[in-house]
Amino acid sequence: MTSARLIFPAIFALTGLFFLSGCSTFPTGKESDNRVVQRETHASYQNASATSPAPATMAPGTLSYPAGSSYPPASSPAAGQNVSATAERFATSYNQAMQDKEELSMAAAANDLARSQQLIRSYNRNMNDSKNSFQLLQEIIENQGTGDITLFFPVNSAEIPENSFQYNRLIRYLDSLERNNQGRKIVFVIMGSASATGEETHNKILSRNRANAPIPIIDHYLVNVPHTYHKVYGIGESQSPQETTDDVHQRYQFVRIMGLYEDAPFSAGHTASPFLAGTGMGNMQGYYPREFINAFGMKFIWVPAGSFLMGSPETEVRRDKNEIQHQVTLTRGFYLQATETTQQQWIAVMGSNPAHFKNCGMDCPVENVRYSDVVTFLERLNDLENTTHYRLPTEAEWEYAARAGTTSAFFNGPMVDETAEKWDFSYNPYLDSVGWYFRNSDQAPHRVGLKAPNPWGFYDMHGNVWEWCSDWQRPYPFHPEIDPQGAESGESKIRRGGSWAHYPEYCRSAYRSWFDPEDRNPEVGFRLALTSLEKKRVAVKLPEPEPPAPVQPPPPAPKPKAKPRPKPDPEPIPMPGPAEVTHCILIRDITFDLDSAVINHRMKPLLDRAVEILEKYDGKIELHGHTCSLAPKAYNMDLGLRRAQSVKNYLIKQGIAESRISIKSFGEESPKFTNMTESGRSLNRRVEILVHGFMDEE
């Protein structure tokens, strides 16, 4: 009689595919046995999942299927479907695959070859659908920048105690989701895992409890934010305790939480975004969040594609002849920084402050920067943010955003009529309420965002500091243009917007100015544009497919005239092999007081807990010291090193071998939170403990 053990080894190999993760974020475990999948929607909110229509090609600018995939399959995300539908599809197809595997066990035990082959094919099909849905969820997370978090448990525990290390990590993750959700529903995919030494039923209950453990915390913290849950319950190891060591079991004591924003449905064509309703800003392709805040606290606002009249009419007071009015069409939307780039943001990226008006404050625009300085800043920012999309706006993009659908000299009104009885060319009542200029600036720039924004939410487009654009200077044409980029080369770069030192006529939306790109001036700053939120893609190499072990038919009965048995079905679809195990564990948030390398009493319980973890493994330990950005770069590098050394001394005192520990300082160069707020800066004063040596050697 054929044993089910001939079928299951290759089947079990697939169950870890959805939990691959490196040490760049939070660690995860590897699943290697049966899993029960269940999709549940939180009772407080209605599930917004849609019925799956036929597959369709996704619109440019939206998400695509994984490279090398021959999909979309029948159950893949298609036009009109949303994040909830994708999460539901992942859970539903995986649930059906697990049901196929349970039935396969019974079919193999009954020696039913035909049924076994049928279930193997069904299992492969559902696992492929589930894998593609999960990969799409990971791609959505990458594009949205939400990330995920893995919380670990002691053996046989499913509790997250309040104010514990894991509890605080979860709260910080939820805080990040809430700050950037922009009113959208949050879709949680929660995967509970257990690998206790108890029986299978015990593991099912334990993994279910672990998947449920974070839900009360999430409900309490996100009480005013709509959210839903899609849960995956893992059973854990099928190996007996005699065949599996305790350290392997401990890798599976976790719950992984993925948070995704429920954006507007994916579209195969142009779709009007809900936030643009009634603005006259036109349609946009795909969907983009209206606002985005990066890791350095820079806020960006989406500007959709559209057409406008660039330049000024001949009737505009104090216009220049080079402001030839002509129609311009921008075929692609973009993000533009809501304010001018500040001194704090420059320091966070570059580590120095070139501003002339340093006494103005960290929230004042950075000025006194050459065009080439800004290029260096962009290269550094793109590298830190793992993207290539930060840039300066073109002159056309700048004026399009400055006008915000208006046609007057300023977005809120015209120039003052020179023929008026008491005309004063140095004063304009409209400009006075929206910008800093010669008449109201006290001959210095001011903090960004103090004046009223334009209809699209951009501050200080008129006055405060001139803003570099990417164009080389050139004369305007008399004909319409599409996506103008300026001259191919030249001697001067465009700057727009006027400054604190200029009269109103120089601060008009249409006024053009150009400047030597290698000259500095305390009147010149910039604001950034962002082409896309997409990050650089890191190729993930999946294991090579491996076919399941074939089921051998039983020998026929020894009858002289037995009819020949029918040929078995063709070889089933190959299945991927086992997943890799996480290589390391990352322990965060050993935080320090301002300008201190002394371990405070609040951190000692976390360090003692870290010692307990480190004593269970013999891998190498890296200590990474970090600081906020309030001090010079050289000082911060030294402070980060001293903080790492303090943690090293503490670990050695607690019995951790010194030979295992290495230290490194990143100073202010790797912030995990914005340095724009005191709370963000306090969280950046930290040491991370990175533990290597968890590679499965089999």
Side-chain angles (χ1 to χ4, degrees), residues 565-583:
R565 294 177 64 84
K567 293 183 178 180
D569 290 343
E571 189 72 16
I573 301 171
M575 295 184 293
E580 295 179 2
V581 181
T582 302
H583 292 247

Side-chain angles (χ1 to χ4, degrees), residues 416 422-433 435-444 446 451 462-464 499-507:
V416 176
K422 295 183 179 180
W423 173 71
D424 181 354
F425 61 84
S426 69
Y427 172 73
N428 185 285
Y430 301 102
L431 177 59
D432 210 53
S433 63
W436 299 105
Y437 68 113
F438 174 81
R439 189 67 175 265
N440 66 3
S441 68
D442 292 328
Q443 297 305 293
H446 291 257
K451 294 289 189 177
H462 304 299
N464 215 17
S499 82
W500 53 266
H502 285 78
Y503 291 159
E505 64 189 86
Y506 300 100
C507 301

